Amino acid sequence: MKGLFISFEGPDGTGKTTQLKNVATALRAQGYEVLESREPGGTIMAEKVRNIVLDPDLPINNITEVLLFSAARSEHVEKVLAPAVEAGKIVLCDRFSDSTLVYQGLTRGLKLDELGELRQLNAFASNGLVPDMTLLLDGRPEVLAIRRDARGVSDRYENKGLDFQHSLRNGFLALAEAEPERIKVINAEGTQEEVQDLIMQEITALLEKVKA
Ligand code: T5A
């Protein structure tokens, strides 16, 4: 079987990292080879870019910012993601190109039909790599804020407040509505076990489809 590329998306603190790790463990227990990675990051260079681009104290203009995310993505795809998919692994990635469309596009006032330049940039940076499935962890920002607050971490985007989290949620849901075949909306408000069950149902269905 050729590998699979699955991305995890959603506003900040929805539980993506937690779920990605749990899902990786569950898939390994079923005998699959799994690679876990994240964006921005996944290579030495891209992790350095991550430190720059997520630093809340470092002013960066919008164009520089999107180019930095794209530069990190290009390295990540070429050196890590594409080879792993080619080698037959299930690749689980914490965020990918959809985050660019939402954070650098839709939350900055662009409409769904005005994302052409960002989509081109994504395609260029990822050399055309598109997730086989994207799991969108979704929930009411007021509910999920408790998790973010409990964790106490704050980066460039996480300290922007509840209105911003609403606009992130709306952005991701708009992408999901436009691409329901690829982007599966997962109710992330439940317990870790409940959310994992929903995710595993989607992944199991995908695995059955590619094996058929
Ligand atoms: N970005 C990224 C862009 O702007 N453009 C881009 O192109 C890309 C790729 C990345 C930032 O970069 C931006 C988006 C982001 O702001 P990040 O640190 O990776 O920065 O930020 P997040 O992806 O938001 O990751 P977080 O770690 O902040 O959130 P997660 O991964 O969604 O949540 P997680 O798993 O860390 O969980 C948060 C807390 O909730 C608990 C966990 O234990 C943890 O304490 N939790 C639950 N509690 C109760 N019930 C559950 N079901 C729970 N699940 C988790």
Side-chain angles (χ1 to χ4, degrees):
M1 183 181 96
K2 184 178 161 285
L4 283 177
F5 177 35
I6 301 173
S7 61
F8 288 62
E9 295 279 8
D12 303 286
T14 48
K16 294 175 301 301
T17 310
T18 306
Q19 288 302 327
L20 192 148
K21 285 191 188 323
N22 293 345
V23 166
T25 303
L27 289 171
R28 286 190 184 110
Q30 292 179 26
Y32 292 103
E33 262 200 275
V34 179
L35 178 98
E36 299 170 52
S37 199
R38 69 173 181 181
E39 289 217 341
T43 70
I44 293 169
M45 176 274 185
E47 291 290 335
K48 285 182 192 262
V49 172
R50 179 186 179 91
N51 289 338
I52 295 170
V53 82
L54 296 187
D55 181 349
D57 300 321
L58 185 63
I60 302 177
N61 80 40
N62 289 351
I63 292 177
T64 307
E65 184 198 68
V66 74
L67 292 173
L68 285 171
F69 279 116
S70 302
R73 180 162 302 134
S74 174
E75 282 287 306
H76 190 208
V77 168
E78 191 203 330
K79 297 200 168 122
V80 177
L81 300 180
V85 174
E86 204 50 46
K89 295 182 185 172
I90 298 181
V91 176
L92 305 178
C93 191
D94 198 339
R95 298 194 179 279
F96 196 61
S97 299
D98 295 311
S99 280
T100 306
L101 299 180
V102 173
Y103 282 79
Q104 280 70 52
L106 296 174
T107 61
R108 295 204 171 139
L110 295 182
K111 304 269 186 303
L112 209 52
D113 60 1
E114 294 170 343
L115 296 175
E117 278 186 342
L118 285 180
R119 287 189 191 279
Q120 274 185 335
L121 189 57
N122 277 345
F124 183 55
S126 62
N127 199 17
L129 182 69
V130 176
D132 297 289
M133 177 187 279
T134 294
L135 298 155
L136 169 55
L137 271 65
D138 175 66
R140 288 165 294 174
E142 294 79 2
V143 174
L144 301 176
I146 297 163
R147 296 181 192 170
R148 283 194 303 278
D149 293 348
R151 202 190 31 164
V153 182
S154 130
D155 65 25
R156 183 179 293 277
Y157 304 99
E158 286 174 345
N159 50 18
K160 280 190 162 186
L162 215 49
D163 283 352
F164 182 64
Q165 295 299 326
H166 275 286
S167 103
L168 288 174
R169 183 187 192 199
N170 293 337
F172 278 113
L173 287 174
L175 293 187
E177 202 179 351
E179 274 191 81
E181 275 303 304
R182 174 174 69 87
I183 305 180
K184 306 295 177 188
V185 181
I186 303 290
N187 178 357
E189 289 188 8
T191 64
Q192 284 192 27
E193 293 72 22
E194 286 167 344
V195 179
Q196 188 180 347
D197 281 350
L198 295 173
I199 290 175
M200 287 307 292
Q201 281 171 28
E202 294 293 351
I203 294 181
T204 304
L206 177 64
L207 285 167
E208 279 167 9
K209 198 166 131 195
V210 294
K211 281 181 194 159

